[in-house]
Amino acid sequence: MDSSKIRTDSYQYFAMAFIDYFLARADVLLYFSIFIALFIYWINGIKKSTAKMPPGPMPLPVIGNLNLVDLKKPHKSLMQLSENYGEIFTLHFGSKKMVILAGYKIVKEALVTRADDFGERATSPIFKIVSNQHGIIYTNGEIWKTMRKFTLSTLRDFGMGKKSLETRIHEELIPLIENFKSHNGKPFNAHMLTSSALSNVICSIIFGKRFEYDDPLFKKLINLLDESAKLVGSPKVMLYNYYPFLGSLLGLHKKVQQNIQNVKDFISNFSKNRRLEFDANDITGYIDAYLKKQEQESTKAETYFNEENLLSSVLDLFAGGTEGPSTTIRWGILLMMKYPEIQKRVQDEIKTHVKPGQLPTVEDRQKMPYTDAVIHEIQRFCNIVPLNVLHSTPTDVYLRGYLIPKGTEVIPFLTSVLYDKTQWKTPYDFNPNHFLDENGKFVKHDAFMPFSVGRRACAGESFAKMELFLFFTGLLQVFTFYPPPGVSREDLNLKPVVGFLLIPTPYMTCAKPNY
């Protein structure tokens, strides 16, 4: 028999055996197909790279630079990478290229000086699920401008920046204090209580009502927000963002999707009930104001005031007004236990400037520089939104001599600003003196950016600042916080649980009345 014929038959035999093996092993076929798809995806992405983009580590096939980033604490990895690559560098996550801006100077330049060049919001796959590109936070163009303008105007109508908001906060501070007192100085976890209290302030503005702390539906909503904030920053969901096809196949996003849908269902049901009894002369909250705006725009051929924008805007306000402030207050309590000398100095200042039996007011802040400095340092040190919310470039942008192509995702890295060695004397220490001059007077600091800066800064910044001062000062006026018996302050853990937010590791506290 011809030897070439034998070789051909042999090749065909082995090829068929190889194919039969893969067909018999569906799992191997699946993994092989995924690998090939990801490899092609990566190759196509690399082909689009340009030498003019900011420098960065050499990407590996398929995974890009994921080998250099600890997805359980990505902010720490990015800080280390910024030490090597400077204030602007490119990272590859799979075939996706991201530009990292690290340090106060370049973040301010991008978000303030060149706000139009970096003013777009990037929409990662998970946030497309959360918002479906509606609402305030994750939209662009005219939708974003319209919804943000309406929201800011409505928040002002309901007290943002006014004395009436102070009254709302006091009305929630009082039951929180009573709940703390009910533990009689014994150890308890303040997580749900603080979340409920801070959430109720924004709920009074959104829904025109507050909820009882033991309301099962209210507790469920807060738990859904807590869980989603953790999941969105989890390694599995981050992999879903970098490999949407693979992530969808493995269902990495489904829990977040279900949680958000449950919250939206609650908002939808509430708004439907309000619509049934709607009275344009009795506007009690943001939802009522939105329904009134819908009515006014009903004759227009096109309007942004639709149901999707209602649900997403309320979700943005509800989540932002609950998670950020309550997380900061929990950090504050933990830090006061850790540093009792700072706690005592705050309390001494409160005794000097707030009359016994009266709750603190916003006007008191001007007379209390040390307390104000401590609150600012809590926000800086705890760095609760470490990566910021993703930005993107609406056009090709040149920055520091590098090209950032249109549509590139940009991380204005807040950790690098709040811990910038050129801006803070002891960036890795909790030090209220960062916000005090040599005479003990409060001083503002340009590198203080916990709410981000520029056109995409948090819409509720002034609202949150008022909340934090009144809640923090009100609690320390009444209580001194101690670790539980048998736990020393050295034992208290300041390492955060990493998600979209950096939250304190769960802890117990003893709140002992100051009398």
Side-chain angles (χ1 to χ4, degrees):
M1 183 179 290
D2 184 24
S3 60
S4 62
K5 177 78 166 56
I6 293 174
R7 283 196 300 272
T8 301
D9 289 345
S10 298
Y11 294 152
Q12 289 177 344
Y13 172 79
F14 285 115
M16 290 302 299
F18 185 73
I19 293 171
D20 287 343
Y21 172 76
F22 270 83
L23 291 176
R25 292 289 306 277
D27 57 335
V28 175
L29 180 61
L30 174 63
Y31 296 141
F32 183 74
S33 300
I34 290 172
F35 175 80
I36 292 298
L38 290 176
F39 186 73
I40 293 171
Y41 186 54
W42 175 79
I43 285 294
N44 288 334
I46 293 301
K47 286 178 180 177
K48 297 175 185 176
S49 295
T50 167
K52 294 182 181 179
M53 282 191 72
M58 177 68 70
L60 297 175
V62 182
I63 66 171
N65 300 126
L66 279 173
N67 59 309
L68 302 178
V69 179
D70 183 349
L71 295 183
K72 293 181 179 179
K73 43 188 177 183
H75 61 292
K76 294 208 168 189
S77 297
L78 294 188
M79 285 295 283
Q80 292 168 357
L81 287 166
S82 70
E83 293 288 330
N84 295 328
Y85 295 97
E87 60 184 359
I88 177 170
F89 57 98
T90 302
L91 287 181
H92 293 71
F93 296 96
S95 69
K96 179 180 290 189
K97 294 183 287 291
M98 286 188 180
V99 170
I100 317 300
L101 305 180
Y104 161 69
K105 290 182 179 179
I106 197 165
V107 170
K108 182 181 179 182
E109 180 181 348
L111 300 189
V112 178
T113 308
R114 301 183 58 180
D116 290 341
D117 289 336
F118 293 90
E120 293 285 288
R121 180 69 77 210
T123 51
S124 59
I126 194 63
F127 287 120
K128 285 182 181 178
I129 288 173
V130 170
S131 71
N132 197 24
Q133 296 181 301
H134 291 93
I136 309 162
I137 299 177
Y138 304 107
T139 49
N140 291 306
E142 288 304 315
I143 295 179
W144 171 71
K145 290 178 183 178
T146 302
M147 299 315 301
R148 184 179 172 90
K149 181 179 179 181
F150 170 78
T151 297
L152 287 172
S153 174
T154 304
L155 289 176
R156 283 193 291 268
D157 289 343
F158 285 100
M160 188 171 75
K162 300 177 183 177
K163 190 75 174 178
S164 57
L165 178 58
E166 181 177 275
T167 301
R168 289 178 187 267
I169 295 170
H170 282 163
E171 288 173 350
E172 207 53 51
L173 176 59
I174 292 169
L176 180 63
I177 288 172
E178 292 305 312
N179 272 274
F180 275 28
K181 282 182 179 178
S182 70
H183 293 278
N184 298 313
K186 295 179 180 178
F188 69 102
N189 187 328
H191 184 150
M192 276 302 295
L193 289 173
T194 54
S195 291
S196 298
L198 274 297
S199 183
N200 259 335
V201 179
I202 192 64
C203 284
S204 71
I205 293 173
I206 296 172
F207 305 111
K209 60 172 288 187
R210 71 179 297 277
F211 298 88
E212 294 300 324
Y213 293 175
D214 59 357
D215 182 323
L217 180 56
F218 185 46
K219 291 169 72 173
K220 178 183 177 182
L221 291 172
I222 290 175
N223 283 327
L224 289 172
L225 293 179
D226 279 352
E227 184 178 39
S228 297
K230 292 176 186 175
L231 288 172
V232 165
S234 68
K236 285 185 178 180
V237 172
M238 293 178 83
L239 285 174
Y240 170 75
N241 283 331
Y242 305 145
Y243 305 102
F245 169 74
L246 177 61
S248 295
L249 201 65
L250 300 177
L252 302 179
H253 63 298
K254 287 185 178 179
K255 185 58 178 175
V256 176
Q257 188 174 33
Q258 186 59 57
N259 285 358
I260 296 303
Q261 190 57 52
N262 287 341
V263 178
K264 284 186 175 181
D265 287 345
F266 168 79
I267 297 168
S268 179
N269 290 333
F270 186 93
S271 64
K272 286 176 183 176
N273 290 332
R274 291 302 299 170
R275 190 174 272 113
L276 291 174
E277 52 192 42
F278 178 67
D279 181 355
N281 296 314
D282 183 26
I283 304 300
T284 62
Y286 181 91
I287 289 177
D288 283 357
Y290 193 99
L291 296 178
K292 183 177 181 178
K293 188 69 174 179
Q294 278 188 319
E295 193 175 81
Q296 293 170 347
E297 300 243 327
S298 60
T299 57
K300 292 186 177 181
E302 293 185 8
T303 177
Y304 293 117
F305 290 90
N306 50 43
E307 187 70 12
E308 291 85 357
N309 274 323
L310 170 60
L311 297 181
S312 292
S313 296
V314 172
L315 175 64
D316 290 343
L317 290 172
F318 185 36
T322 298
E323 292 298 304
S326 64
T327 298
T328 306
I329 291 295
R330 294 204 310 279
W331 273 116
I333 293 172
L334 177 59
L335 286 163
M336 292 306 96
M337 292 194 294
K338 185 80 170 178
Y339 301 103
E341 68 283 0
I342 293 177
Q343 179 173 210
K344 185 177 186 306
R345 189 169 168 185
V346 169
Q347 290 169 326
D348 289 344
E349 192 173 62
I350 293 171
K351 289 175 185 177
T352 301
H353 297 289
V354 182
K355 293 180 181 178
Q358 292 186 359
L359 292 172
T361 66
V362 174
E363 287 77 13
D364 294 327
R365 180 164 51 188
Q366 301 298 323
K367 301 173 288 185
M368 300 169 64
Y370 189 76
T371 302
D372 205 8
V374 168
I375 294 170
H376 279 69
E377 181 65 359
I378 291 168
Q379 291 180 271
R380 185 204 69 82
F381 180 77
C382 297
N383 176 37
I384 69 169
V385 189
L387 301 185
N388 208 330
V389 183
L390 284 175
H391 287 238
S392 72
T393 48
T395 60
D396 287 355
V397 171
Y398 285 90
L399 181 66
R400 305 289 172 90
Y402 297 112
L403 169 66
I404 305 177
K406 176 182 178 179
T408 300
E409 294 185 11
V410 177
I411 298 179
F413 185 27
L414 288 187
T415 302
S416 70
V417 179
L418 297 176
Y419 283 67
D420 190 328
K421 295 176 183 177
T422 69
Q423 301 296 312
W424 310 97
K425 290 181 180 178
T426 57
Y428 291 94
D429 295 331
F430 181 69
N431 181 7
N433 289 322
H434 285 139
F435 295 93
L436 296 168
D437 65 14
E438 62 276 7
N439 298 314
K441 292 184 178 180
F442 180 82
V443 290
K444 293 183 178 180
H445 204 303
D446 285 347
F448 179 71
M449 297 182 184
F451 300 101
S452 194
V453 287
R455 60 190 294 191
R456 288 288 184 165
C458 174
E461 180 175 349
S462 63
F463 174 84
K465 285 181 175 179
M466 184 184 291
E467 272 190 310
L468 293 176
F469 177 79
L470 294 177
F471 272 100
F472 181 77
T473 308
L475 288 173
L476 264 69
Q477 179 188 31
V478 179
F479 303 104
T480 298
F481 294 97
Y482 299 91
V487 178
S488 69
R489 68 174 187 163
E490 289 77 17
D491 294 331
L492 295 173
N493 183 8
L494 296 184
K495 290 183 179 179
V497 176
V498 180
F500 179 69
L501 304 180
L502 299 185
I503 65 173
T505 299
Y507 65 87
M508 304 290 280
T509 186
C510 297
K512 297 183 180 180
N514 297 325
Y515 52 79

